[in-house]
Amino acid sequence: MLTEPQPPASEEQLVARLRAQDESAMTEFYDKYSSALYGVILRIVRREEEAEDVLQESLVKIWHSFHSYDPSKGRLFTWVLNVSRNLAIDKIRSRQYRVGSRSQSLEDSPAEHTPAVTTFRPEHIGLQEMTRQLNPDQQQIIDLLYFGGYTQSEAAEELNLPLGTVKTRARAAIKVLSKLIR
């Protein structure tokens, strides 16, 4: 037996149903507000995949914190817009987002379709000579990681050092090398 579709709920009815954790109200809420929220989020994060993630985070946060919505302070849409906007801003301020936005995926890179130059050898730019200016501990780490092809875990095992020490020494060495290269 088919049931007639329900007319859209008023905002007050929707709020009451959401407070009662009515899952069908969340579906209605999604249908009513998701495209507007997505548009605002996308304008902030500027990448569709990130906007979809932030929208999902927003919906979960709205669902779990709906008890904090106070209708006397503003309309439902204003509140959910602020929740979504704040999460989008948090996303673009996050270190992970900033690092990710600076690097380009290999699939999108022209390097993916450009054959490697067989005549290039790293020793031609004098990098190995520059590493000789590092302190012995840093030089040992760089030799293993970059010239020996070891992973950080393998280098830690080889040198019988904690992984954190290897990472710290590698980071310090890279800072020194970057100053030398400039």
Side-chain angles (χ1 to χ4, degrees):
M1 179 169 151
L2 292 174
T3 58
E4 232 178 90
Q6 297 293 319
S10 71
E11 188 169 296
E12 296 81 27
Q13 292 170 328
L14 185 58
V15 168
R17 290 174 53 214
L18 287 168
R19 278 198 199 288
Q21 298 283 292
D22 178 353
E23 290 179 15
S24 66
M26 192 60 182
T27 302
E28 191 174 319
F29 170 87
Y30 179 85
D31 292 341
K32 189 172 184 176
Y33 296 114
S34 66
S35 61
L37 296 175
Y38 178 79
V40 170
I41 293 167
L42 183 60
R43 271 188 246 130
I44 295 170
V45 299
R46 294 191 177 109
R47 292 197 308 240
E48 288 183 10
E49 185 177 303
E50 297 290 337
E52 290 168 5
D53 289 346
V54 172
L55 177 61
Q56 184 173 356
E57 281 179 56
S58 299
L59 294 171
V60 169
K61 184 169 185 167
I62 289 163
W63 177 254
H64 289 296
S65 63
F66 200 81
H67 62 277
S68 66
Y69 168 62
D70 182 358
S72 68
K73 293 184 179 177
R75 294 191 53 221
L76 176 61
F77 181 72
T78 305
W79 182 72
V80 298
L81 184 64
N82 283 328
V83 169
S84 300
R85 184 181 147 278
N86 290 341
L87 284 172
I89 290 169
D90 290 347
K91 176 63 107 181
I92 63 172
R93 287 182 179 165
S94 74
R95 186 169 196 270
Q96 178 185 4
Y97 180 87
R98 289 192 316 259
V99 169
S101 66
R102 278 189 256 146
S103 59
Q104 182 180 16
S105 79
L106 283 178
E107 293 84 32
D108 301 335
S109 169
E112 175 73 11
H113 308 289
T114 306
V117 178
T118 57
T119 57
F120 174 74
R121 296 184 19 218
E123 56 272 14
H124 287 175
I125 61 171
L127 191 58
Q128 207 152 20
E129 289 75 32
M130 282 186 210
T131 63
R132 290 186 178 69
Q133 296 180 41
L134 298 172
N135 74 41
D137 290 336
Q138 292 172 342
Q139 184 178 353
Q140 188 178 36
I141 297 291
I142 295 300
D143 285 345
L144 287 175
L145 295 178
Y146 295 96
F147 300 113
Y150 285 63
T151 66
Q152 289 180 332
S153 298
E154 291 169 341
E157 198 173 298
E158 176 74 22
L159 299 172
N160 198 25
L161 292 171
L163 180 59
T165 302
V166 170
K167 289 181 177 191
T168 300
R169 288 180 185 174
R171 192 175 315 113
I174 290 170
K175 282 183 181 179
V176 170
L177 289 172
S178 70
K179 289 178 184 173
L180 291 173
I181 290 172
R182 288 185 196 143

